[in-house]
Amino acid sequence: SDKELRRFLSLVHNPLPEPQLERETAALLIIDVQHYGCHPDWGFGQRAKEKGFANQLSWYWDRVRRVMLPNIQLLMSTARRAGVEVIHSRVATLTQDGRDTTRRYKALGISTRQDAMEAQILPEVAPKGDEIVLNKTTSSVFNSTTLDRVLRNMGIRNLIVVGVATDGCVESSVRSATELDYGVILVEDACAGIAPQLHEAAILIMGYKDAIIKSTAEVVAQLEALEATK
């Protein structure tokens, strides 16, 4: 069972140290909450309708709308009040024909121009002011952007990670962050995978040795404690 597996995995290695959230050294990283993969009428959703499998995504769209987006909104507003950096990534190419994207993304048909609607971050979680927005052409935001350099320039060592897809770009980014020695808190109810089994499996795998898994309520409480010290 999952419960038995979690117990077994907890015995294999020592537990990860929990990242300390401090205003100067933490950031909220929001991964790919854009029209391409988070709106049923654009990008991935439009393709699902054209290919006749839109009904199979009902769980995903419901989770995005009812669970993930409200929780990300709450995390964003609390992080901003606390003075914690908010950083956004999106899948977007530099060229109109997508020639700068990876061979893998070309094969998968994932190519979104940065000026196209599919590349635009959903208005519910849109960047404010000069918040950093990074265009990426790989699953991991670290593999095709300057994120690592940006974080090190700002002295950020710990990340709060949210977004989509839990078993795709989120998991890839979390693994990269961990390998680069960042502390990672993954907010389980501020992420979504296209099916519950994929989401749950990714959470189980990341929680084993890559990230501390928390709820929105737990992270908001930590951020509010920071806000109280401003």
Side-chain angles (χ1 to χ4, degrees):
S1 69
D2 285 354
K3 183 178 180 181
E4 291 170 331
L5 178 57
R6 286 189 181 92
R7 182 178 179 279
F8 165 71
L9 293 176
S10 72
L11 301 174
V12 175
H13 297 298
N14 295 330
L16 287 172
E18 182 167 331
Q20 298 302 304
L21 296 187
E22 299 173 339
R23 185 174 298 111
E24 297 80 10
T25 60
L28 173 63
L29 177 59
I30 305 170
I31 296 176
D32 301 354
V33 186
Q34 62 192 91
H35 284 76
Y36 177 84
C38 291
H39 195 293
D41 296 332
W42 295 93
F44 178 64
Q46 183 181 29
R47 183 185 302 177
K49 291 177 182 178
E50 292 171 353
K51 294 194 173 184
F53 61 88
N55 289 341
Q56 280 69 42
L57 293 176
S58 58
W59 181 89
Y60 174 67
W61 297 127
D62 186 69
R63 182 175 176 88
V64 166
R65 184 178 69 256
R66 296 180 183 274
V67 180
M68 188 188 80
L69 285 176
N71 284 337
I72 292 179
Q73 287 177 308
L74 181 56
L75 288 161
M76 287 175 68
S77 61
T78 312
R80 287 165 176 161
R81 292 196 306 270
V84 169
E85 194 78 36
V86 178
I87 299 173
H88 310 255
S89 78
R90 61 178 185 168
V91 176
T93 62
L94 300 173
T95 58
Q96 292 295 305
D97 62 3
R99 63 185 181 276
D100 59 300
T101 197
T102 61
R103 286 184 294 174
R104 174 171 165 263
Y105 268 25
K106 287 172 184 172
L108 293 172
I110 303 173
S111 181
T112 303
R113 304 189 320 271
Q114 61 182 331
D115 61 348
M117 177 59 80
E118 285 88 349
Q120 307 315 307
I121 294 170
L122 295 186
E124 297 95 324
V125 293
K128 284 188 176 181
D130 66 348
E131 289 176 354
I132 294 167
V133 180
L134 296 167
N135 292 351
K136 69 186 186 70
T137 54
T138 53
S139 293
S140 170
V141 64
F142 287 92
N143 286 345
S144 55
T145 77
T146 58
L147 179 58
D148 182 46
R149 174 52 57 194
V150 168
L151 295 175
R152 295 185 191 281
N153 286 350
M154 294 191 294
I156 292 171
R157 299 191 297 272
N158 296 309
L159 297 173
I160 303 163
V161 179
V162 302
V164 297
T166 317
D167 54 300
C169 295
V170 170
E171 184 174 356
S172 293
S173 298
V174 165
R175 287 178 180 275
S176 293
T178 300
E179 292 294 334
L180 290 166
D181 225 17
Y182 292 95
V184 179
I185 293 174
L186 180 68
V187 189
E188 185 276 336
D189 56 356
C191 296
I194 63 171
Q197 302 97 316
L198 296 176
H199 172 82
E200 291 160 10
I203 293 296
L204 177 61
I205 292 167
M206 285 184 281
Y208 161 44
K209 57 182 174 59
D210 297 314
I212 302 297
I213 310 299
K214 291 198 172 190
S215 68
T216 295
E218 290 173 315
V219 177
V220 165
Q222 289 183 270
L223 292 172
E224 287 176 337
L226 287 182
E227 182 186 359
T229 66
K230 286 186 72 176

